Amino acid sequence: MASVSSQPQFRYTQPPSKVLHLRNLPWECTEEELIELGKPFGKVVNTKCNVGANRNQAFIEFADLNQAINMISYYASSSEPAQVRGKTVYLQYSNRQEIVNNKTTADVAGNVLLVTIEGNDARQVSIDVLHLVFSAFGFVHKITTFEKTAGFQALVQFSDTETASSAKNALDGRSIPRYLLPEHMGPCTLRITYSAHTDLSVKFQSHRSRDYTNPYLPVAPSAIDGSGQLSLGLDGKKLEPESNVLLASIENMQYAVTLDVLQMVFSAFGPVQKIAMFDKNGGLQALIQYPDVQTAVVAKEALEGHCIYDGGFCKLHISYSRHTDLSIKVNNDRSRDYTIPNTAMVNPQPSILGQQPAQMIGPGAPNFNATQYPPNAEQAMMPQHSGGWGSAVPPVPQSIPMQMTSHPYMPPATMPQMVPGMMQMPAHTSPMQAGTRPPYGPNSMQ
DNA sequence: AGCACA
């Protein structure tokens, strides 16, 4: 009795419908082409293209059944088959009576992309990484991120539909390059559709939303840390004044970070005058004082986002302090004034490394007291450049996350220099793009 | 070349 539903769908004779099913369409047949095809026979009230696994099928819905019959009848007896772009198109009545209006915003191209980040660690993808990835295709105006039932999502606004389309075509279904993500993170795949938005409303610069067209937008209170420091980077537009004193906060502090470790790490860029460590919001922070702003700038640029220990442990986040001269009242295991050697004797040998450049101490350095440190402390970050390298490195916008956590330190030659290149100069204008473009680069889309 | 899952 239920034989109707079990019949093959391609019966020789289909019951008439004002919806026609089309197949063998050319690639990416447009709605306009379908309307052109059906227009001589009646009023096309709806279409749906890119149907089926091969996206080469479509539906045309006429206002009236007779119009659909007109079209089928005409081509049934015509010597010329129905064609789109010279390709023969096969028509029949659809087995449905109307097109379900599936024409959501996802089908309409626009300048704003809706990006869903898939993966167990999707939430850890920073807005800076997203900015970096999408900047390869053109200037990114704004980004907002949010969590919905669909997961972690972002809206990415480009200036025009063409740029957004090239980004969508290149990135949809692809994963964020591994080198942009901390090692411990699993793959993060991007699913991209068009958004109905044309201009996002970004009220604050924050870790959730950015307006790259307006550096003077107020910074959200949430983006200012407990010390009143701006922890937010704004794509090269510095909102926090540079200072000779750095505020370092240490994230994922699996291992103890001692005063000596900090002194060692920060001394690589110049003499460290004073260090003060303190607990803040359940984490460890430290103020590190250099004699001059330039040294601090270099140290900050080099160390921001890096981990002291391999495996993503003790990740440094560095901002400029408003202090210019720390007041160290007592030398102990939490604070020290290295400029007053006579009184810096709470620990007679405050640092094995002393004031020597850190690169003098390599892996397996004989004097390295490994017992105080995790087993892989030999691999502790050893910046190999002292203060001078700042001029040799292109200025890096603050928002660039150097999430090279799998490598406590990588010399510049092995660093993905494309990262700053992409940031500052979108790939289509960047002289640095040769050989440094990501595999999904926009070149093949133009 | 044979019916849409948002």
Side-chain angles (χ1 to χ4, degrees), chain A residues 224-231 239-248 278 280 285-289 293 296 300 318-327:
Chain A
I224 302 175
D225 70 23
S227 300
Q229 303 297 319
L230 291 175
S231 58
L239 287 188
E240 53 178 5
E242 293 175 348
S243 165
N244 65 314
V245 178
L246 298 177
L247 173 71
F278 51 94
K280 192 98 185 188
Q285 297 194 350
L287 291 161
I288 298 98
Q289 178 175 336
V293 173
K300 177 178 181 296
I318 301 177
S319 58
Y320 295 109
S321 169
R322 284 172 302 183
H323 292 95
T324 55
D325 189 21
L326 302 177
S327 169

Side-chain angles (χ1 to χ4, degrees), chain A residues 27-308:
Chain A
W27 174 246
E28 290 192 347
C29 176
T30 64
E31 178 177 31
E32 287 70 27
E33 288 171 314
L34 297 177
I35 294 172
E36 283 300 309
L37 192 66
K39 204 162 58 178
F41 306 95
K43 181 173 171 55
V44 176
V45 296
N46 205 352
T47 64
K48 183 172 178 61
C49 39
N50 298 320
V51 167
N54 295 329
R55 299 169 64 85
N56 61 355
Q57 301 174 40
F59 297 93
I60 295 177
E61 180 176 338
F62 285 101
D64 189 84
L65 177 63
N66 287 329
Q67 298 166 350
I69 295 173
N70 281 346
M71 187 168 180
I72 291 291
S73 303
Y74 174 83
Y75 284 112
S77 57
S78 167
S79 56
E80 289 289 312
Q83 291 185 330
V84 171
R85 287 182 235 163
K87 194 160 187 258
T88 297
V89 172
Y90 301 92
L91 304 171
Q92 62 189 155
Y93 297 114
S94 172
N95 52 24
R96 300 194 196 186
Q97 293 303 308
E98 60 182 19
I99 293 178
V100 322
N101 207 10
N102 191 20
K103 195 173 300 173
T104 59
T105 56
D107 293 315
V108 182
N111 65 317
V112 178
L113 299 177
L114 172 63
V115 181
T116 304
I117 299 108
E118 297 178 346
N120 293 334
D121 303 316
R123 275 155 197 80
Q124 296 174 51
V125 175
S126 72
I127 200 167
D128 297 305
V129 166
L130 292 174
H131 180 231
L132 200 54
V133 167
F134 283 88
S135 290
F137 303 89
F139 178 60
V140 174
H141 286 226
K142 301 174 185 178
I143 298 180
T144 61
T145 63
F146 47 93
E147 300 228 21
K148 282 279 180 61
T149 49
F152 184 51
Q153 294 188 303
L155 290 163
V156 180
Q157 177 177 338
F158 287 100
S159 20
D160 51 65
T161 300
E162 289 67 35
T163 312
S165 296
S166 67
K168 177 179 181 292
N169 291 337
L171 295 175
D172 188 18
R174 321 262 332 206
S175 294
I176 297 174
R178 302 253 10 137
Y179 59 79
L180 293 178
L181 300 173
E183 182 194 22
H184 64 272
M185 284 181 63
C188 294
T189 304
L190 303 173
R191 300 289 172 194
I192 305 177
T193 60
Y194 293 106
S195 164
H197 291 94
T198 56
D199 191 18
L200 304 175
S201 168
V202 176
K203 303 278 199 300
F204 297 100
Q205 309 284 15
S206 79
H207 61 294
R208 296 192 155 275
S209 64
R210 297 287 171 85
D211 180 348
Y212 300 98
T213 68
N214 182 7
Y216 301 110
L217 201 65
V219 174
S222 64
I224 302 175
D225 70 23
S227 300
Q229 303 297 319
L230 291 175
S231 58
L232 174 68
L234 284 182
D235 197 14
K237 311 290 199 307
K238 290 192 172 95
L239 287 188
E240 53 178 5
E242 293 175 348
S243 165
N244 65 314
V245 178
L246 298 177
L247 173 71
S249 56
I250 293 140
E251 174 188 303
N252 193 15
M253 210 171 68
Q254 194 82 3
Y255 302 114
V257 172
T258 63
L259 192 74
D260 293 341
V261 167
L262 290 176
Q263 199 263 348
M264 173 184 78
V265 168
F266 283 86
S267 289
F269 305 91
V272 170
Q273 293 182 321
K274 300 175 184 177
I275 298 180
M277 299 167 69
F278 51 94
D279 293 308
K280 192 98 185 188
N281 305 327
L284 181 69
Q285 297 194 350
L287 291 161
I288 298 98
Q289 178 175 336
Y290 288 107
D292 53 73
V293 173
Q294 289 85 344
T295 308
V297 169
V298 171
K300 177 178 181 296
E301 296 294 327
L303 295 176
E304 168 57 28
H306 284 272
C307 296
I308 296 179

Side-chain angles (χ1 to χ4, degrees), chain A residues 370-393:
Chain A
T371 59
Q372 291 178 19
Y373 304 98
N376 57 351
E378 300 85 357
Q379 299 166 30
M381 175 166 43
M382 300 288 181
Q384 296 176 358
H385 298 262
S386 54
W389 79 320
S391 56
V393 172

